[in-house]
Structure formats: structure tokens, C-alpha cells
Amino acid sequence: MFFKNLQIYRLPANWPMSASELNSMLERQAFTPATSAELQRQGWAAPRGAGAPLVHAVGGQFLLQLKTEKKLLPSTVVNQVAAARALEMEEAQGFAPGKKAMKELKERVTDELLPRAFAILSTTAVWVDPVNGWLVVDAASPAKADEVVKLLLKSVDKLPLESLRVMRSPVGAMTEWLKVDESPAGFTVDQDAIMRATGESKAQVAYKRHTLEADDIRRHIAAGKQCTLLAMTWSDKISFVLDESLAIKSVKPLEIIKESATRNDDERFDSDFALMTGELAKMLADLVEALGGEAEEDARPPGPAVDAAPAKGHEPVREQRVMLKLNGQAPGTVPPGDGSATDPMYDQAVELVRSRQRASISLVQRYLGIGYNRAGNLLEAMEALGVVSGMASNGNRTVLAAPGAAA
């Protein structure tokens, strides 16, 4: 098994909830079949079938399952039957029924047809990681994830659940990765993307299994488009699509982590679940790091911050550009490389870009063995201190001459 879509929420790390405690709470909202008078019924069902616990635990990781039963009763059928009944009433009483009478007639028809309606059963898987504080719903839409969260909040007393908030907007981060033609640490960019205009036109360009040429992408960015969807691969193990709402879709495990043969179905299921949760926990941590880390609930980060437009069903994400201290002096007045920046690796980074005469995030990241965001912050500090130029339209920076250097 492997989740196909990830709607991501946050729990406190090392959340003190055992499988048995959670199971007893979910039992209060366990699934029971809908009655003949109900259009829909939802509840918790055992992931491993009848008779098994509602919480399937493997290695400290929990798997839940929301079960939904919906009655299929098309409105066209109700309207047709109601229209036939209305015609009979008109012939009997000599005049057509009014709006109120038609409304009551449709309600009666619905009640009559409901016991004969087809029932459709569906399930939604939920992964709870109490150790690292993840709660992930395998749902393609925020609306389906909201159904899960709503029932969870009703089932678990004082559930400390929050939306995942990151410091950088996914749209801003994805656009920058494509603009500078550099992927964040541990990730590679694949061949699917959507570039959308921010103006009223909402014009967009979609790439499908097509090489993302840096020059083409930069032309779209210069024309006012931003990346709202991007296909990526993490650590050569998992491919996925990241969208503007911070949802992860089309998740696929690559050959390197596909399941191995085991003796029976139960062992294979547990092995696959343990493998999936272990790899996804690492991937989510790396993705959050690539997006600037998590944003605190009550603290807006220092420096200019931009609120991204909130997607339906999601809390807004915040983007931060970290401003390094310049000891109270204006940018450019502090000699570059004198250790005035707050990052202890600043001088090493300056020496590196000067010796290589190239200023790129990937260069600093690779040679200093640091994360993508830290390398980006170092380059921003160099720009503020006059070591490198600002980013040109082609995404490149120029290494500037040191003060007092020969022309």
C-alpha cells in the first residue's frame, strides 16, 4: 500500500496518544450502515477488515480509515417521478400544484425512493505519526480531508490538530526553483508544471511530460506568470506533484523502495505500511525545510512577509526573506567577508564564491554541506553586503570585486 495523495496536518511531536486510547475514542463514532431513511452515513472502520481494531498500529505509526456510505438517488429521477405525480394531482383537482406543494411532493418522493436507492461505499485512509507529529489524509481534495478532520475532532477530545504552515509560499518557492534552475536539497524537478498569470486573465501554460527549459520558464516568469504546480522527485525514491495549496498529489514510490516478497498478506501489509511511513516522514521533513521551515502559530517572522492567497480548505502560508544583521550599517558599507553576518559560515561562503567566481545556491550548498535555504540566505547576505550582484533576469548573479581590488 502507498498513499496517492497527501493532505497534510500537524500534531505535536511525541504526541502522547497510544493506539488503544485512540481506538477507544474512535469507537464512539464507529461506522454503521445507513438506515433506509438516510442519504449518507460516515464513521470509522477497521483498516484490516471486520473484527480488527479501528487503529492499526505498526512500529508506533497508526493507520485509520473513514468509511462513507452514500445513497445514489439522482435528482433527475426524483424530478421525473414528482412531475408525474403533479400531473395526476392537476387532473384530480383541476389546477397545478404550487411551489410549496411541489416542494413537499418532491420530499415525499425522495422518502419513497430512498429505500430502493443504490448504496455506494468508499473509504479514506488516514496516517497518524505521533512521533514526528504528522497527520496525513489520503485525499485528492481538501473537502474530503475536511470530512476526516471534522469527524476526528468529534471523536478525539481536545485533539491538538493544526494545518501545516510554512515560512515560504509554495508558489513563490516553486517559481524561484524554476527561475534559478536549481532544485532544493534532496529533490529534483520533473517534467510537469503549470505556470499561471497573476492578473485578471488567469492565463496559464501547462507542461506535461515536457522538459522545463530554463529560458522558456524565465520568459513566462518575466511575463508575470508563477508556478502553481510542479512535479518533483525526492531522493530518487518518491515522485509527486506539489500544488499551490501545499497539497501533495500523484505520489508514486519508485523501484528502489517497492515492497519485497513476504510470507503472507498481513506481513506484507505491515511491511509496506512501515516502509511508506518511514520514507514519507523523511520526505515531508525535507519538503518543509525546502519551504523555509514551519511558521509559528502566533509569531510572524521578522522582515517583510507576504501572505499567500489561502486555498479552499487550507490555512494561508507565509513567505519570509531572512534579513541578516549588518551591525546597524547600511548595505554595502560593511566590508564583505568580515564576519559581520550572523551566519558563522558566511566568510567561508564568500571565499568560495570568490575563488570559483560563481555565485549560485547549489555551489554553496554542495561545497559547504548545508541546506538549500541556508545557502540561499547566505547569498542574500552577500548581495546586501556587496559581494555579489542582485539576481539578473536570467537567474544568475555576478561576483563583484572586493573593496580595494585592482580593476
Side-chain angles (χ1 to χ4, degrees), residues 22-44:
L22 183 57
N23 189 86
S24 63
M25 293 180 182
L26 298 186
E27 285 177 346
R28 296 178 291 186
Q29 301 293 333
F31 176 81
T32 55
T35 65
S36 60
E38 289 180 313
L39 275 171
Q40 178 173 309
R41 174 69 69 88
Q42 288 184 321
W44 302 109

Side-chain angles (χ1 to χ4, degrees), residues 109 121 133 140 147 246 282 339 343 387 393:
V109 169
L121 295 174
E147 293 179 3
L246 197 54
K282 297 174 186 175
D343 195 313
V387 180
S393 59

Side-chain angles (χ1 to χ4, degrees), residues 5-9 139-143 145-146 163-166 168-174 196 227-230 241-249 287 291 308-318:
N5 302 284
L6 311 179
Q7 301 287 341
I8 310 165
Y9 299 87
S141 69
D146 287 345
S163 297
L164 174 63
R165 294 177 175 86
V166 291
R168 302 184 65 195
S169 159
V171 171
M174 292 187 293
R196 183 179 301 152
C227 182
T228 59
L229 181 146
L230 185 63
V241 173
L242 177 65
D243 74 9
E244 58 189 325
S245 66
L246 197 54
I248 299 175
K249 302 180 179 180
L287 182 60
L291 294 173
K312 183 179 180 182
H314 284 266
E315 294 290 333
V317 292
R318 296 199 286 263

